[in-house]
PDB file of all heavy atoms in Angstrom:
ATOM      1  N   LEU A 497     -17.172 173.229 212.913  1.00 84.00           N
ATOM      2  CA  LEU A 497     -16.165 174.072 212.265  1.00 84.00           C
ATOM      3  C   LEU A 497     -15.381 173.326 211.245  1.00 84.00           C
ATOM      4  O   LEU A 497     -15.081 173.757 210.228  1.00 84.00           O
ATOM      5  CB  LEU A 497     -15.257 174.689 213.302  1.00 84.00           C
ATOM      6  CG  LEU A 497     -15.916 175.758 214.278  1.00 84.00           C
ATOM      7  CD1 LEU A 497     -14.907 176.240 215.206  1.00 84.00           C
ATOM      8  CD2 LEU A 497     -16.613 176.837 213.477  1.00 84.00           C
ATOM      9  N   ASN A 498     -14.982 171.985 211.587  1.00 79.00           N
ATOM     10  CA  ASN A 498     -14.245 171.190 210.670  1.00 79.00           C
ATOM     11  C   ASN A 498     -15.054 170.863 209.412  1.00 79.00           C
ATOM     12  O   ASN A 498     -14.439 170.803 208.269  1.00 79.00           O
ATOM     13  CB  ASN A 498     -13.804 169.951 211.337  1.00 79.00           C
ATOM     14  CG  ASN A 498     -12.942 169.053 210.521  1.00 79.00           C
ATOM     15  OD1 ASN A 498     -12.097 169.671 209.677  1.00 79.00           O
ATOM     16  ND2 ASN A 498     -12.928 167.756 210.558  1.00 79.00           N
ATOM     17  N   ARG A 499     -16.406 170.794 209.491  1.00 74.00           N
ATOM     18  CA  ARG A 499     -17.201 170.414 208.384  1.00 74.00           C
ATOM     19  C   ARG A 499     -17.717 171.641 207.587  1.00 74.00           C
ATOM     20  O   ARG A 499     -17.664 171.742 206.394  1.00 74.00           O
ATOM     21  CB  ARG A 499     -18.420 169.655 208.810  1.00 74.00           C
ATOM     22  CG  ARG A 499     -19.230 169.208 207.612  1.00 74.00           C
ATOM     23  CD  ARG A 499     -20.299 168.238 208.027  1.00 74.00           C
ATOM     24  NE  ARG A 499     -21.073 167.618 206.956  1.00 74.00           N
ATOM     25  CZ  ARG A 499     -21.941 166.724 207.016  1.00 74.00           C
ATOM     26  NH1 ARG A 499     -22.238 166.248 208.268  1.00 74.00           N
ATOM     27  NH2 ARG A 499     -22.510 166.315 205.996  1.00 74.00           N
ATOM     28  N   TYR A 500     -17.987 172.778 208.354  1.00 73.00           N
ATOM     29  CA  TYR A 500     -18.628 173.860 207.666  1.00 73.00           C
ATOM     30  C   TYR A 500     -17.645 175.116 207.727  1.00 73.00           C
ATOM     31  O   TYR A 500     -18.135 176.195 207.395  1.00 73.00           O
ATOM     32  CB  TYR A 500     -19.978 174.240 208.208  1.00 73.00           C
ATOM     33  CG  TYR A 500     -20.978 173.117 208.074  1.00 73.00           C
ATOM     34  CD1 TYR A 500     -21.336 172.347 209.151  1.00 73.00           C
ATOM     35  CD2 TYR A 500     -21.534 172.874 206.860  1.00 73.00           C
ATOM     36  CE1 TYR A 500     -22.339 171.313 209.068  1.00 73.00           C
ATOM     37  CE2 TYR A 500     -22.509 171.828 206.676  1.00 73.00           C
ATOM     38  CZ  TYR A 500     -22.863 171.152 207.784  1.00 73.00           C
ATOM     39  OH  TYR A 500     -23.763 170.069 207.616  1.00 73.00           O
ATOM     40  N   GLY A 501     -16.467 174.988 208.338  1.00 66.00           N
ATOM     41  CA  GLY A 501     -15.697 176.154 208.505  1.00 66.00           C
ATOM     42  C   GLY A 501     -14.965 176.551 207.289  1.00 66.00           C
ATOM     43  O   GLY A 501     -15.295 176.152 206.104  1.00 66.00           O
ATOM     44  N   GLY A 502     -13.861 177.367 207.420  1.00 51.00           N
ATOM     45  CA  GLY A 502     -13.231 177.909 206.237  1.00 51.00           C
ATOM     46  C   GLY A 502     -12.403 176.865 205.449  1.00 51.00           C
ATOM     47  O   GLY A 502     -12.292 177.008 204.223  1.00 51.00           O
ATOM     48  N   ARG A 503     -11.903 175.833 206.027  1.00 49.00           N
ATOM     49  CA  ARG A 503     -11.104 174.815 205.264  1.00 49.00           C
ATOM     50  C   ARG A 503     -12.004 174.048 204.289  1.00 49.00           C
ATOM     51  O   ARG A 503     -11.617 173.668 203.249  1.00 49.00           O
ATOM     52  CB  ARG A 503     -10.456 173.813 206.246  1.00 49.00           C
ATOM     53  CG  ARG A 503      -9.309 174.495 206.970  1.00 49.00           C
ATOM     54  CD  ARG A 503      -8.570 173.430 207.777  1.00 49.00           C
ATOM     55  NE  ARG A 503      -9.404 172.802 208.794  1.00 49.00           N
ATOM     56  CZ  ARG A 503      -9.012 171.802 209.516  1.00 49.00           C
ATOM     57  NH1 ARG A 503      -7.782 171.282 209.363  1.00 49.00           N
ATOM     58  NH2 ARG A 503      -9.736 171.301 210.478  1.00 49.00           N
ATOM     59  N   SER A 504     -13.272 173.810 204.618  1.00 48.00           N
ATOM     60  CA  SER A 504     -14.168 173.058 203.786  1.00 48.00           C
ATOM     61  C   SER A 504     -15.104 174.029 203.145  1.00 48.00           C
ATOM     62  O   SER A 504     -16.279 174.216 203.561  1.00 48.00           O
ATOM     63  CB  SER A 504     -14.902 171.952 204.441  1.00 48.00           C
ATOM     64  OG  SER A 504     -14.038 170.977 205.065  1.00 48.00           O
ATOM     65  N   SER A 505     -14.621 174.874 202.195  1.00 54.00           N
ATOM     66  CA  SER A 505     -15.438 175.857 201.580  1.00 54.00           C
ATOM     67  C   SER A 505     -16.379 175.309 200.502  1.00 54.00           C
ATOM     68  O   SER A 505     -16.388 174.051 200.285  1.00 54.00           O
ATOM     69  CB  SER A 505     -14.515 176.911 200.945  1.00 54.00           C
ATOM     70  OG  SER A 505     -13.810 176.308 199.901  1.00 54.00           O
ATOM     71  N   LEU A 506     -17.174 176.111 200.016  1.00 57.00           N
ATOM     72  CA  LEU A 506     -18.075 175.679 198.864  1.00 57.00           C
ATOM     73  C   LEU A 506     -17.366 175.002 197.802  1.00 57.00           C
ATOM     74  O   LEU A 506     -17.827 174.045 197.240  1.00 57.00           O
ATOM     75  CB  LEU A 506     -18.998 176.846 198.540  1.00 57.00           C
ATOM     76  CG  LEU A 506     -20.045 176.535 197.342  1.00 57.00           C
ATOM     77  CD1 LEU A 506     -20.920 175.444 197.746  1.00 57.00           C
ATOM     78  CD2 LEU A 506     -20.702 177.824 197.012  1.00 57.00           C
TER      79      LEU A 506
END
Side-chain angles (χ1 to χ4, degrees):
L497 294 179
N498 186 32
R499 184 170 186 178
Y500 299 108
R503 288 186 298 173
S504 298
S505 63
L506 174 63

